[in-house]
Amino acid sequence: VSNAVQCEVQDSSNVSFSPAPPVLWQYLTKNYSDISVQTAGNQVRKAKGMKVSFDVRNIKLNNSNNSQGTIGSINGTVTWSTDGIKQSIQDAVPVLGAFVTSGVTTNTGDGTIQLKGMLNSATLKPQIVNNGLSLQVVNVSALGANISTQTAQKYIDDLMAKATKNYPLSLHADSIKVTDSGVEATFSSSNATIPAAGTQDQCLANL
């Protein structure tokens, strides 16, 4: 499980199993009641400083030609710190690097994120788009750079698509909010099928 998570999010993780029924019994019957997973918080794909924690319930392993089993439900939380947002933009969107030299802050009142540079600034609003997380560019003030709102949006969309979309097991974003320290979102899935070995999802091939 840990290897599958590490493959998917590109970060280390800690996995724990429910003690009831005894883990040996769960292993022998291939029915797991509850597995909790928490990543280290270094990154999720291209998003630095993003951390994922989730509970996987009612896992039944049963290999067939089409699947390795089923999962009753997955409920998780994603947190993304302001420092992580700043580093992600600097690393993955160099053209916007000048917008975060002075830092990234949040406004919980209107649910926005402010990027601040020496001469440039931008306001972003987290939203759910196509089952993933999106940062919508509200405005751009580019005194020292030639960049439009549309161009900034394209680069931000590329970053977010690589970080939070196309998750496996039909995981989708349910809610998103701005906090004092960054962004927090919830993801979930129900009655998911674990892909069979040899399918395109190599991260889940050896569960």
Side-chain angles (χ1 to χ4, degrees), residues 14-185:
N14 181 56
V15 178
S16 59
F17 294 80
S18 171
V23 174
L24 179 58
W25 178 256
Q26 296 183 65
Y27 174 77
L28 292 174
T29 61
K30 296 185 178 181
N31 290 340
Y32 297 87
S33 59
D34 185 7
I35 299 176
S36 296
V37 180
Q38 188 172 82
T39 65
N42 297 308
Q43 63 187 34
V44 172
R45 300 174 179 170
K46 294 293 185 179
K48 303 296 184 181
M50 188 176 279
K51 185 175 184 177
V52 180
S53 60
F54 56 92
D55 289 321
V56 187
R57 298 181 182 274
N58 194 22
I59 306 100
K60 297 181 178 180
L61 300 180
N62 183 19
N63 281 316
S64 69
N65 291 332
N66 299 320
S67 76
Q68 298 183 76
T70 59
I71 295 174
S73 66
I74 305 174
N75 290 283
T77 301
V78 174
T79 56
W80 197 12
S81 67
T82 51
D83 284 344
I85 295 171
K86 175 181 178 179
Q87 185 180 351
S88 300
I89 291 175
Q90 288 176 324
D91 291 351
V93 194
V95 72
L96 296 179
F99 286 78
V100 294
T101 53
S102 296
V104 175
T105 59
T106 60
N107 185 331
T108 58
D110 61 8
T112 60
I113 301 169
Q114 289 76 45
L115 312 181
K116 298 179 180 179
M118 294 297 292
L119 299 174
N120 309 306
S121 64
T123 300
L124 311 178
K125 189 173 183 64
Q127 295 180 351
I128 296 174
V129 176
N130 296 327
N131 294 324
L133 305 185
S134 173
L135 296 178
Q136 298 297 306
V137 180
V138 178
N139 61 62
V140 172
S141 176
L143 297 180
N146 183 21
I147 185 169
S148 66
T149 300
Q150 292 77 13
T151 301
Q153 187 67 66
K154 178 184 181 300
Y155 286 113
I156 293 293
D157 286 347
D158 288 345
L159 167 64
M160 299 307 294
K162 293 175 182 176
T164 71
K165 292 182 180 178
N166 300 318
Y167 279 158
L169 303 171
S170 301
L171 276 168
H172 57 270
D174 295 316
S175 67
I176 187 169
K177 66 179 181 180
V178 173
T179 67
D180 291 335
S181 58
V183 176
E184 181 178 303

